[in-house]
């Protein structure tokens, strides 16, 4: 059976996540200790004890989610060293987790990068100036067009193609509000403003992308030991220059999650394993292709079940 590992992004974090897994698998705290050494503060303490407002700060959320995904992955490796996924992929921030898991960058490099990424994203758009919203029940092209119509000299774009009938838009507050109203007029089933401080994956992130590029230019990456599908072009890259370029573009270009899952399916993948807290990707994937099996791994019981199946 061909299978793939997928890693969630921001939004799946919660206070106390992975506590059960850590109690039974020492590698979890080892991963968080390594991450904390890079960050200069106790990441595990924040993850377990909060406060929630701090965990939800993007420059803390991003390393917390990357460490969580790698902790689950290494716990799996400890139980079954001969894991052979056909692909790895991650949603937005999760792409970095996939690249660490695939050996492209070290955990320390990944933590350093995503902490900087969070800070750069936050500084690119002042608080209160950007917004994101989920549009449910319209065709992708309708959402792309309504964003173009609603921009009116501002910025609003379709940025996450999450599943058929679920597209996230992002941009400047006024433009996003116009687009939300237009979506309702066009018959969207639901339009929901998202509680985020940063309008990810739109043109407003270009200053952050330029700064991230400078940081990436000073890093050395390895070729992946498992094919990683990138959000931007839904391609696998072995050349470090191409990988870096994909990460820079990812900051201001849409996340093509539907196409990512469809690509894995077309390549013969029969089952996806979501590694990390929450079940966001499992929910999306069931709407993309109900015939593809999905398992989530986030505690001792789900880990044991997955290992038995593998």
């Amino acid at each position: 059976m061909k299978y793939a590992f997928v890693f969630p992004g921001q939004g799946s974090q919660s206070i106390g996540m992975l506590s059960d897994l850590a109690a039974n698998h020492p590698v979890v705290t080892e991963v968080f200790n390594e991450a904390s050494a890079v960050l200069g503060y106790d990441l595990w303490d924040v993850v377990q004890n909060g406060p929630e407002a701090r965990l939800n700060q993007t420059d803390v959320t991003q390393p917390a989610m990357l460490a969580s995904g790698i902790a689950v992955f290494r716990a799996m490796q400890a139980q079954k060293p001969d894991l052979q996924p056909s692909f790895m992929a991650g949603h937005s921030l999760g792409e970095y987790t996939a690249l660490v898991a695939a050996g492209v960058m070290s955990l320390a490099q990944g933590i350093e990068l995503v902490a900087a990424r969070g800070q750069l994203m936050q500084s690119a758009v002042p608080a209160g100036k950007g917004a994101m919203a989920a549009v449910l029940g319209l065709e992708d092209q309708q959402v792309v067009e309504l964003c173009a119509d609603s921009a009116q000299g501002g910025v609003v774009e379709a940025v996450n193609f999450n599943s058929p009938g679920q597209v996230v838009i992002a941009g400047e507050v006024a433009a996003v509000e116009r687009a939300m109203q237009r979506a309702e007029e066009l018959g969207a089933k639901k339009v929901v403003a998202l509680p985020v401080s940063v309008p990810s994956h739109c043109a407003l992130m270009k200053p952050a992308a330029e700064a991230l590029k400078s940081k990436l230019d000073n890093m050395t990456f390895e070729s992946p030991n498992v094919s990683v599908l990138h959000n931007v072009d839904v391609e696998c890259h072995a050349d470090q220059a191409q990988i870096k370029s994909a990460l820079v573009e990812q900051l201001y270009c849409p996340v093509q999650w539907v196409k990512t899952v469809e690509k894995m399916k077309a390549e013969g993948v029969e089952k996806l394993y979501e590694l990390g807290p929450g079940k966001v990707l499992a929910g999306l994937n069931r709407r993309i292709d109900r015939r593809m099996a999905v398992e989530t791994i986030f505690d001792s019981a789900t880990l044991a079940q997955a290992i038995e199946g593998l």
Side-chain angles (χ1 to χ4, degrees):
M1 181 188 72
K2 292 181 81 169
Y3 61 91
F5 291 159
V6 294
F7 298 91
Q10 291 188 81
S12 292
Q13 72 275 8
S14 62
I15 299 296
M17 62 186 183
L18 301 193
S19 58
D20 172 78
L21 197 68
N24 296 286
H25 299 274
V27 70
V28 175
T29 46
E30 289 170 13
V31 167
F32 274 86
N33 287 342
E34 196 175 331
S36 298
V38 175
L39 296 168
Y41 63 86
D42 189 339
L43 182 61
W44 182 248
D45 181 61
V46 177
V47 165
Q48 295 306 301
N49 302 309
E52 190 171 21
R54 187 170 184 211
L55 178 59
N56 289 340
Q57 289 172 358
T58 189
D59 60 327
V60 177
T61 307
Q62 295 197 33
M65 285 302 299
L66 187 149
S68 295
I70 294 303
V72 174
F73 176 67
R74 290 190 180 172
M76 289 186 76
Q77 279 187 313
Q79 297 283 305
K80 190 174 176 63
D82 59 341
L83 291 168
Q84 293 183 315
S86 298
F87 292 96
M88 293 185 185
H91 189 285
S92 185
L93 162 75
E95 184 167 305
Y96 287 79
T97 319
L99 290 168
V100 173
V104 170
M105 61 180 85
S106 67
L107 175 60
Q109 284 178 309
I111 292 292
E112 181 185 341
L113 269 175
V114 300
R117 180 179 183 266
Q119 291 165 353
L120 292 169
M121 290 169 71
Q122 194 68 70
S123 62
V125 180
K129 298 292 186 182
M132 298 182 77
V135 177
L136 283 67
L138 295 180
E139 297 291 327
D140 290 357
Q141 192 56 36
Q142 283 181 287
V143 180
V144 170
E145 290 171 4
L146 74 84
C147 285
D149 293 342
S150 304
Q152 297 177 19
V155 174
V156 59
E157 300 165 8
V159 297
N160 290 2
F161 295 95
N162 284 336
S163 67
Q166 187 191 124
V167 179
V168 173
I169 62 175
E172 295 163 328
V173 171
V176 170
E177 288 174 347
R178 287 192 296 269
M180 292 171 70
Q181 183 177 345
R182 181 65 182 141
E184 289 174 346
E185 291 168 358
L186 289 171
K189 290 178 184 175
K190 200 172 184 181
V191 182
V192 186
L194 301 178
V196 296
S197 57
V198 173
S200 304
H201 305 294
C202 73
L204 298 177
M205 288 293 113
K206 284 191 174 180
E210 282 303 308
L212 184 69
K213 182 180 184 300
S214 297
K215 194 160 185 67
L216 284 164
D217 284 344
N218 293 319
M219 287 187 164
T220 301
F221 290 168
E222 305 297 329
S223 294
N225 51 44
V226 175
S227 296
V228 176
L229 282 165
H230 290 270
N231 289 177
V232 168
D233 55 9
V234 199
E235 296 290 341
C236 301
H237 300 298
D239 177 72
Q240 68 167 320
Q242 291 177 311
I243 292 170
K244 290 175 179 180
S245 177
L247 291 176
V248 170
E249 289 181 39
Q250 190 226 52
L251 263 185
Y252 60 86
C253 292
V255 173
Q256 300 287 355
W257 192 250
V258 174
K259 290 180 180 178
T260 298
V261 174
E262 289 174 342
K263 176 76 171 273
M264 289 189 280
K265 179 77 172 180
E267 294 289 338
V269 172
E270 299 169 62
K271 189 168 189 176
L272 299 181
Y273 291 91
E274 179 177 2
L275 278 59
K279 302 178 181 179
V280 171
L281 300 184
L284 296 180
N285 294 347
R286 288 188 185 101
R287 290 197 284 274
I288 296 168
D289 190 337
R290 282 196 168 275
R291 295 164 297 175
M292 184 182 280
V294 186
E295 260 189 64
T296 53
I297 307 170
F298 54 86
D299 61 12
S300 298
T302 51
L303 174 61
Q305 181 180 326
I307 294 298
E308 187 178 340
L310 287 165

